[in-house]
Amino acid sequence: MAAAAASGFVNSIALSESKLGVDIAVSLLGFNHFSSSNHLSSSSSSSSSLACFPSRTRFLSNVLKVNRGRKSLNPRCEAVEGIGSRPSPLSALELLKTSAADRYTKESSSLMVIGINFRTTPIEIREKLSIPEAQWPQAISELCGLNHIDEAAVLSTCNRMEIYVVALSQHRGVKEVIEWMSKRSGVPVSELCEHRFLLYNKDATRHLFEVSSGLDSLVLGEGQILAQVRQVVKSGEGDPGFGRKISGLFKHAITAGKRVRTETSISTGSVSVSSAAVDLAQVKLPQFSYATARVLVVGAGKMGKLVIKHLIAKGCTKMVVVNRTEDKVAAIREEFRDVEIIYRSLEEMYTCASEADVIFTCTASDEPLFLKKHVQMLPPVSSNVGGHRLFIDISVPRNVGSCVSDVDTAHVYNVDDLKEVVAATKEDRLQKALEAQSIIWEEVTKFEAWKDSLETVPTIKKLRAYAERIRAAELDKCMSKMGDNMSKSQKKAIYDLSMGIINKLLHGPMEHLRCSGTDNRPLGEILDNMHALNRIFSLDTEISVLEEKIRSKMGKGQK
């Protein structure tokens, strides 16, 4: 019985010790799924609960191993053993805090995209999440202010809103970006998670290259998206948050998009969202009335100009264009001199709408321009055009409120309604899209090789700095021994000699650290060379680059 009692006492100590370790780990990692009364009520229940969190389970397992390896973490054990210098629970807590920090700061960075598009998300949510081009720099700044986001870019169009980031910690980065998107848009996190897509590293790269090539567009092969990707680069240049990896990604995407359009026929006869909108109007109007329908275009920006261009291509010879200023309309009028293009100001918009049968809206307004109360006041249209006024809204956020659909004399269509028009020409371009995939794969391979080669950049810099310190020190020794009677040309000759020796010695190692994606050396070999040089010359630092970045960000956030 004495043995049994002793065994029970030892087991209770071990249980208390393990429980303390888990309690601390739970508090550090934020486990809300455990109650304080049943952390380790039985081995089976704890293991089944922890199975839901595999990565955290490994951490807790390490915590328990640490606990078992110590003399004691339990005050009662310390009293029994009577040890004078005993580790306190506070020191154990500090130990575990350090362990938790080390665990995630030593993760490798991830390139990822978190987004929504016309395939995953209805326009009602897309318009809330859309970010106007003028706000992209601010969005990049806010994203890079998050603890685990190092670089960022925003691609927001009428069909998509995608956030590209380099995350210092993959899982925490995703969480922070989604919470940022929710806070900015007012869309709950739970609803966002229902619609968002998430891609990492090579998959994220391939996705952007397909987007830039027009393969992921509502209108397969459209050309406007390439200009929008270019605009991301233009607006991000000079922004520290639009860093080396993200800017390189988007520049490679432009190259991929240009190659696909040059080397395949995917863009031949393809349509844009604007031309699809014009085609939709043609489908919805009675065939005999298309040539005589009165047309109003609200907005003379990029989308508006394309609408006008495609209207003219379909035979429209007269239209009214409403815009804030006349400059853009005058430029369009100069380009299409054979067409009667009448400019009207925004103040005249409702008057113009009352005289129109078909209204195209394509502005960057954050608020609807047409609401139910506005449309109800408009006079009815002629029965020659079907008795309904057509509103074709290709703006995101929408320029025509959804409430307008309740008006009997109006029919409202938005970008999501263009699918029926696009489907007619999609099959022909699917085969062309297959041709484009091989080009995209080549460009993805090149970009991944370039991106992976960036891992060796810190080693290259440290190796050169190491060699430079030795060269400078030895040169100083030499100069001091030579005395002050040396001429400038002699000093220069000795300096050039030292630089020449260093450069020739470093040439071989540097070549074996660089990866252009065109040589035959596999990336694994280059990374092995990097690790070997780090060991040989003791170039590794005690704190990883990622850890330094995360600690710095978190430190700024606490100030």
Side-chain angles (χ1 to χ4, degrees):
M1 291 187 63
S7 175
F9 178 67
V10 170
N11 288 338
S12 69
I13 291 173
L15 183 61
S16 296
E17 181 177 306
S18 298
K19 184 175 183 300
L20 174 62
V22 175
D23 282 342
I24 297 171
V26 166
S27 66
L28 284 171
L29 297 180
F31 279 89
N32 296 323
H33 293 73
F34 298 106
S35 64
S36 59
S37 61
N38 65 354
H39 285 174
L40 286 174
S41 58
S42 69
S43 59
S44 61
S45 65
S46 63
S47 61
S48 63
S49 297
L50 294 176
C52 299
F53 305 92
S55 60
R56 295 179 178 182
T57 303
R58 290 193 294 273
F59 175 70
L60 295 179
S61 176
N62 292 335
V63 168
L64 298 181
K65 287 178 184 178
V66 171
N67 291 347
R68 294 188 195 106
R70 298 179 66 87
K71 286 292 183 182
S72 174
L73 288 177
N74 190 293
R76 290 179 293 175
C77 278
E78 293 168 359
V80 171
E81 294 180 6
I83 299 173
S85 56
R86 298 185 296 268
S88 67
L90 183 60
S91 63
L93 179 62
E94 293 302 320
L95 172 66
L96 289 169
K97 281 183 177 179
T98 304
S99 177
D102 289 344
R103 178 183 176 275
Y104 75 78
T105 56
K106 291 180 180 177
E107 295 180 33
S108 60
S109 64
S110 294
L111 175 63
M112 57 193 188
V113 55
I114 304 165
I116 53 144
N117 60 28
F118 66 96
R119 291 191 178 91
T120 67
T121 314
I123 190 170
E124 292 80 8
I125 297 177
R126 292 206 310 273
E127 65 186 1
K128 293 178 182 176
L129 286 157
S130 69
I131 302 176
E133 186 181 309
Q135 296 178 20
W136 289 357
Q138 179 187 348
I140 291 174
S141 177
E142 291 177 5
L143 285 163
C144 291
L146 302 175
N147 285 340
H148 298 88
I149 302 302
D150 194 34
E151 301 178 23
V154 176
L155 176 60
S156 184
T157 72
C158 59
N159 284 323
R160 69 187 69 249
M161 202 290 286
E162 299 176 355
I163 304 291
Y164 291 82
V165 298
V166 173
L168 303 177
S169 170
Q170 191 175 91
H171 301 298
R172 289 168 178 80
V174 170
K175 182 175 182 291
E176 288 176 352
V177 172
I178 290 178
E179 288 176 349
W180 176 85
M181 291 169 68
S182 175
K183 182 179 179 181
R184 189 186 185 282
S185 65
V187 178
V189 169
S190 58
E191 191 172 0
L192 259 176
C193 290
E194 288 179 20
H195 298 285
R196 66 107 172 105
F197 65 86
L198 177 61
L199 297 170
Y200 299 105
N201 299 316
K202 187 177 287 187
D203 290 333
T205 300
R206 182 167 190 151
H207 172 74
L208 180 59
F209 287 13
E210 289 176 346
V211 168
S212 183
S213 301
L215 302 189
D216 192 61
S217 297
L218 172 65
V219 182
L220 192 64
E222 71 149 316
Q224 192 176 4
I225 186 64
L226 182 58
Q228 290 163 333
V229 172
R230 282 197 184 101
Q231 192 57 38
V232 173
V233 175
K234 184 178 179 180
S235 65
E237 283 180 343
D239 191 320
F242 191 69
R244 189 172 186 182
K245 285 184 181 178
I246 288 290
S247 64
L249 172 69
F250 274 81
K251 288 174 182 176
H252 274 78
I254 293 170
T255 300
K258 289 168 67 176
R259 277 196 63 193
V260 166
R261 286 170 173 79
T262 302
E263 299 176 28
T264 74
S265 55
I266 193 169
S267 295
T268 303
S270 68
V271 293
S272 64
V273 169
S274 300
S275 65
V278 173
D279 289 342
L280 181 64
Q282 191 171 18
V283 169
K284 298 302 179 182
L285 283 170
Q287 187 173 1
F288 63 86
S289 67
Y290 183 74
T292 58
R294 299 170 297 174
V295 176
L296 169 64
V297 180
V298 181
K302 295 175 183 177
M303 297 286 280
K305 183 178 179 180
L306 285 173
V307 167
I308 294 169
K309 178 180 177 181
H310 290 294
L311 282 168
I312 295 170
K314 293 292 184 179
C316 182
T317 58
K318 179 180 178 180
M319 67 193 76
V320 177
V321 180
V322 168
N323 198 52
R324 283 183 300 175
T325 61
E326 191 176 0
D327 296 349
K328 291 182 178 179
V329 180
I332 296 171
R333 190 189 295 125
E334 185 67 22
E335 187 175 346
F336 302 102
R337 294 186 178 184
D338 296 335
V339 179
E340 187 178 355
I341 300 174
I342 303 167
Y343 165 75
R344 292 289 183 266
S345 65
L346 280 175
E347 290 75 17
E348 301 173 272
M349 182 176 66
Y350 297 122
T351 301
C352 295
S354 68
E355 300 170 354
D357 302 315
V358 184
I359 301 171
F360 294 90
T361 57
C362 35
T363 79
S365 173
D366 292 333
E367 300 294 332
L369 302 178
F370 291 94
L371 295 173
K372 185 177 180 179
K373 62 182 181 180
H374 302 133
V375 178
Q376 284 177 325
M377 297 173 63
L378 300 179
V381 297
S382 169
S383 58
N384 292 336
V385 291
H388 294 90
R389 181 174 279 106
L390 300 186
F391 288 87
I392 300 180
D393 182 11
I394 56 174
S395 304
V396 178
R398 287 173 292 179
N399 288 169
V400 181
S402 56
C403 55
V404 175
S405 299
D406 297 334
V407 180
D408 294 336
T409 57
H411 283 170
V412 181
Y413 302 94
N414 57 52
V415 288
D416 286 355
D417 297 313
L418 301 180
K419 294 175 184 176
E420 61 178 283
V421 176
V422 172
T425 58
K426 187 173 182 179
E427 291 300 322
D428 181 50
R429 285 194 296 276
L430 283 176
Q431 185 58 41
K432 298 170 184 175
L434 293 177
E435 301 171 16
Q437 287 294 346
S438 60
I439 296 173
I440 288 173
W441 184 249
E442 286 178 23
E443 292 300 326
V444 168
T445 302
K446 289 179 183 178
F447 172 75
E448 289 296 311
W450 173 82
K451 178 170 68 73
D452 290 334
S453 72
L454 296 181
E455 291 188 33
T456 66
V457 171
T459 298
I460 291 173
K461 289 181 177 179
K462 286 186 284 186
L463 181 59
R464 183 167 286 283
Y466 173 81
E468 175 58 24
R469 286 195 299 271
I470 294 175
R471 184 201 67 80
E474 294 304 313
L475 180 63
D476 286 345
K477 288 181 185 178
C478 176
M479 292 297 191
S480 63
K481 290 178 181 178
M482 298 295 289
D484 298 329
N485 297 324
M486 294 177 63
S487 64
K488 288 184 178 180
S489 60
Q490 289 173 323
K491 289 180 181 179
K492 184 178 184 303
I494 295 174
Y495 173 82
D496 290 344
L497 174 66
S498 68
M499 290 297 297
I501 292 172
I502 288 297
N503 289 336
K504 283 184 169 58
L505 285 174
L506 289 179
H507 177 73
M510 294 299 185
E511 284 299 306
H512 284 80
L513 286 178
R514 293 190 175 98
C515 177
S516 64
T518 58
D519 51 31
N520 295 322
R521 284 200 313 277
L523 176 64
E525 178 185 323
I526 293 171
L527 296 180
D528 286 343
N529 293 337
M530 179 186 75
H531 295 312
L533 286 168
N534 277 325
R535 288 194 304 272
I536 292 169
F537 294 101
S538 301
L539 301 176
D540 283 328
T541 56
E542 292 183 4
I543 302 177
S544 70
V545 174
L546 291 182
E547 188 171 353
E548 285 181 325
K549 286 182 177 179
I550 292 175
R551 289 182 189 273
S552 174
K553 277 175 165 284
M554 295 180 75
K556 289 178 182 177
Q558 291 170 359
K559 290 180 180 179

